Amino acid sequence: MNMIDPFGRTISYLRVSVTDRCDFRCTYCMAEDMAFLPKKDLLSLEELDRLCTVFIEKGVRKLRLTGGEPLVRKNIMHLVRQLSRHLDSGALEELTLTTNGSQLSRFAAELADCGVKRINVSLDTLDADKFHQITRWGHLDKVMQGIDAAQAAGLKVKLNAVALKDFNDAELPDMMRWAHGRGMDLTVIETMPMGEIDADRTDQYLPLSLLRASLERQFTLTDIPFKTGGPARYVNVAETGGKLGFITPMTHNFCESCNRVRLTCTGTLYMCLGQEDAADLRAPLRASEGNELVSDAIDEAIGRKPKGHDFIIDRRTSRPSVSRHMSVTGG
């Protein structure tokens, strides 16, 4: 079975936010004083497994666990191990996750044992003081220990860095050299107008077209067709031998090839990261022991998937494009 949206795109990639909670408070993502969902509103791990299994039966081939920070969800490895059966059967091609790295030293070996082959680690700076400043609560040495543990466990690590004007733009070349020197690719991401934060995003926003032009004064960048299933466009960097990805929701809308939907920890399905329209899957999931009701609800939701998002960041548009924070749907 395949899920086809109204624009002929095959939906084969599910991102599952297993929790909206995080042990960091990154300034471009969250307010410092966040109100998180009460635990009673969350789907159980068994319900998340059941929903993911329905999606896999309907054609999802890649599943990514996100948060918040997915590894702070209690007993999260039980869910990972349960989902790994779909890797063993061949129904699922890839099970992966995006993490801030804070808990990786605890879980890296078990993730690898469950069949996870690669992970994304969010890391915006290699300066310990700046890292603490941007994350508010994070400590760089703990993330570095996590990356070491992940690589020691045989996981392929890709770094994600949000490009922030006058914060990390000057150090991104050195971050790229460091990542490539350790066999890690780096993807840079434009900040997105999601949720109220304690800063003005117009002060943070760095168009990646400007970053690429700056990098090309130091490096030879060659566009390549490499894909990991997400929206990044990749270049090869001749001087380092590594790959650099660009995710550009603002300067180059990537929606024409979107193959993704996003499920939250409450059972809400967002068909587009940058739109408010959503479908409730918790009610049909709990209304029957069978999966026909939830399967029908998914079909109805995919039939409403929009053509694309409408993100705007400028001085005239001070409010976020969508009210929910990035931590709700995991980016």
Side-chain angles (χ1 to χ4, degrees):
M1 296 176 63
N2 285 319
M3 295 178 288
I4 310 294
D5 79 358
F7 303 94
R9 298 170 297 196
T10 299
I11 308 306
S12 59
Y13 181 3
L14 177 67
R15 298 177 62 108
V16 184
S17 174
V18 297
T19 178
D20 67 329
R21 295 173 184 267
C22 188
D23 49 354
F24 291 177
R25 293 291 183 274
C26 295
T27 59
Y28 54 81
C29 178
M30 293 182 175
E32 185 165 13
D33 185 19
M34 288 288 292
F36 293 114
L37 293 164
K39 291 183 180 180
K40 63 180 177 61
D41 290 349
L42 272 59
L43 295 179
S44 69
L45 295 177
E46 290 73 21
E47 287 175 320
L48 283 170
D49 175 39
R50 184 177 159 200
L51 267 181
C52 290
T53 298
V54 175
F55 273 99
I56 292 166
E57 290 172 349
K58 295 177 72 65
V60 160
R61 294 293 171 262
K62 176 177 177 178
L63 198 155
R64 178 178 294 276
L65 302 181
T66 69
E69 168 49 46
L71 295 178
V72 301
R73 173 83 190 248
K74 188 176 180 180
N75 296 326
I76 186 59
M77 292 311 302
H78 173 72
L79 176 63
V80 176
R81 195 161 290 281
Q82 286 296 106
L83 291 172
S84 70
R85 73 188 185 278
H86 299 298
L87 295 172
D88 295 337
S89 72
L92 190 64
E93 294 175 3
E94 184 176 43
L95 174 62
T96 183
L97 79 157
T98 295
T99 173
N100 64 26
S102 66
Q103 308 297 316
L104 261 182
S105 59
R106 294 172 56 201
F107 294 116
E110 191 173 358
L111 286 168
D113 187 58
C114 289
V116 174
K117 303 295 186 188
R118 65 185 187 94
I119 59 172
N120 290 355
V121 177
S122 301
L123 182 65
D124 301 319
T125 176
L126 296 177
D127 181 294
D129 292 335
K130 289 172 67 175
F131 183 85
H132 190 68
Q133 174 190 341
I134 197 72
T135 63
R136 293 192 179 105
W137 296 3
H139 298 282
L140 182 62
D141 59 343
K142 200 170 182 182
V143 174
M144 290 301 184
Q145 291 167 14
I147 291 173
D148 289 343
Q151 290 194 310
L155 297 172
K156 183 171 177 57
V157 178
K158 179 172 77 70
L159 300 183
N160 288 341
V162 176
L164 299 166
K165 183 172 62 176
D166 298 328
F167 177 77
N168 64 357
D169 42 353
E171 68 171 302
L172 285 171
D174 285 337
M175 282 190 68
M176 183 178 70
R177 291 188 187 96
W178 176 79
H180 290 175
R182 291 194 51 163
M184 299 182 288
D185 295 335
L186 172 68
T187 293
V188 286
I189 308 170
E190 289 174 336
T191 186
M192 298 181 228
M194 297 183 65
E196 294 286 358
I197 59 173
D198 302 325
D200 185 342
R201 283 193 171 94
T202 53
D203 294 332
Q204 299 177 328
Y205 173 50
L206 174 64
L208 292 191
S209 54
L210 297 181
L211 175 64
R212 175 164 180 164
S214 173
L215 289 172
E216 286 181 322
R217 290 193 283 271
Q218 304 179 57
F219 302 97
T220 307
L221 308 183
T222 305
D223 291 301
I224 56 175
F226 178 76
K227 285 284 185 183
T228 61
R233 291 175 169 86
Y234 285 89
V235 299
N236 187 67
V237 184
E239 288 77 6
T240 64
K243 290 188 286 290
L244 176 66
F246 296 92
I247 295 181
T248 53
M250 308 301 300
T251 55
H252 187 289
N253 186 303
F254 45 65
C255 302
E256 70 276 359
S257 60
C258 183
N259 61 345
R260 300 171 294 287
V261 289
R262 293 167 171 83
L263 179 68
T264 75
C265 55
T266 61
T268 302
L269 182 69
Y270 285 95
M271 290 71 79
C272 175
L273 180 65
Q275 302 283 0
E276 297 283 16
D277 188 31
D280 173 26
L281 300 185
R282 181 172 59 184
L285 182 76
R286 292 179 174 176
S288 170
E289 291 185 5
N291 292 328
E292 185 176 345
L293 291 178
V294 74
S295 180
D296 289 345
I298 292 170
D299 288 340
E300 192 277 334
I302 298 299
R304 303 203 314 264
K305 184 170 169 65
K307 189 172 185 179
H309 62 246
D310 303 301
F311 285 149
I312 298 172
I313 295 179
D314 61 31
R315 294 289 177 189
R316 297 164 296 173
T317 312
S318 58
R319 295 191 61 80
S321 295
V322 294
S323 59
R324 69 183 183 279
H325 286 85
M326 183 73 80
S327 58
V328 173
T329 42

